[in-house]
C-alpha cells in the first residue's frame, strides 16, 4: 500500500515541464529534483515533459472505471493500472513522462534517463525485468531521494 500524499502539501510543476495544459502536482522535493534533472537533460538536447504526477485513490478508481467502460478486459486493466491505494502516484513522487506509452523505451529521452536519472534521485519503477509481475513502464519514474 503506497503512502498517500497530503494534497495541501503538493506543489505544481511549471507548465514548461508538463504536457499541454495539464496541472501536475508532486511533492516539493520531487519538483526540485525534477527541475534540476530537466535542466541537465535540456543541456544535452533532451526535453523532459510529464503528463501525470499525483493521483488520489479516487482518481485511480476513475481511471479503472473508465477503461472498463471502454470495454477493456478487467484482468488487463488491473495488470496495467494499480488499484486505488497501491499506486506510486498517490505518494506525489511518481511522474509519467511523454510519451507515456511503450514506445517511450525507444526514445533518446529514455536512454538519457537510464544513464542520468539516478544522479537526481529518480528510478525506473517498473523496468524490463521478468522477475516481477509488473509490466514494463519505461515512462514511469519515481523520486527516491538523492
Amino acid at each position: 500500500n503506497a503512502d498517500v500524499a497530503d494534497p495541501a502539501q503538493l506543489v505544481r510543476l511549471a507548465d514548461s515541464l508538463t504536457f499541454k495544459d495539464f496541472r501536475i502536482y508532486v511533492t516539493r522535493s520531487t519538483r526540485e529534483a525534477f527541475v534540476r534533472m530537466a535542466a541537465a537533460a535540456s543541456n544535452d538536447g533532451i526535453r523532459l515533459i510529464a503528463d501525470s504526477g499525483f493521483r488520489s485513490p479516487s482518481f485511480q478508481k476513475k481511471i479503472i472505471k473508465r477503461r472498463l467502460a471502454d470495454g477493456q478486459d478487467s484482468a488487463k486493466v488491473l495488470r496495467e493500472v494499480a488499484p486505488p491505494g497501491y499506486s506510486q502516484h498517490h505518494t506525489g513522487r511518481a511522474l509519467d513522462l511523454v510519451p507515456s506509452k511503450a514506445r517511450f523505451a525507444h526514445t533518446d529521452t529514455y536512454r538519457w534517463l537510464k544513464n542520468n536519472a539516478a544522479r537526481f534521485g529518480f528510478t525506473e519503477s517498473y523496468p524490463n525485468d521478468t522477475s516481477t509481475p509488473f509490466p514494463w513502464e519505461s515512462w514511469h519514474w519515481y523520486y527516491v531521494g538523492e
Side-chain angles (χ1 to χ4, degrees):
N1 192 351
D3 297 326
V4 178
D6 175 358
Q9 299 296 315
L10 299 175
V11 294
R12 188 173 168 192
L13 284 180
D15 288 343
S16 62
L17 296 175
T18 65
F19 184 69
K20 294 186 179 178
D21 57 355
F22 289 18
R23 296 171 61 92
I24 298 175
Y25 291 85
V26 293
T27 65
R28 186 170 303 283
S29 58
T30 301
R31 181 180 69 182
E32 290 168 0
F34 188 67
V35 166
R36 285 193 307 276
M37 185 167 72
S42 180
N43 288 338
D44 291 337
I46 300 294
R47 188 156 180 238
L48 298 182
I49 299 294
D51 69 358
S52 187
F54 173 77
R55 295 198 299 245
S56 68
S58 63
F59 187 80
Q60 197 75 8
K61 186 177 181 180
K62 287 178 190 172
I63 293 171
I64 292 170
K65 285 177 130 178
R66 185 175 61 236
R67 285 185 169 209
L68 293 173
D70 287 345
Q72 292 185 25
D73 174 67
S74 59
K76 181 180 189 291
V77 170
L78 291 175
R79 252 192 331 273
E80 295 177 353
V81 182
Y86 292 87
S87 172
Q88 285 186 341
H89 286 283
H90 300 339
T91 67
R93 296 189 306 266
L95 289 165
D96 287 345
L97 302 179
V98 174
S100 55
K101 297 177 172 43
R103 66 185 166 95
F104 186 84
H106 305 289
T107 65
D108 290 338
T109 303
Y110 178 68
R111 285 185 285 283
W112 189 92
L113 288 165
K114 289 292 283 183
N115 292 323
N116 296 282
R119 290 191 293 132
F120 300 93
F122 285 88
T123 186
E124 182 181 7
S125 297
Y126 306 109
N128 191 12
D129 179 356
T130 57
S131 71
T132 74
F134 303 106
W136 186 18
E137 290 190 10
S138 56
W139 61 88
H140 180 99
W141 292 80
Y142 187 71
Y143 181 67
V144 293
E146 295 172 64

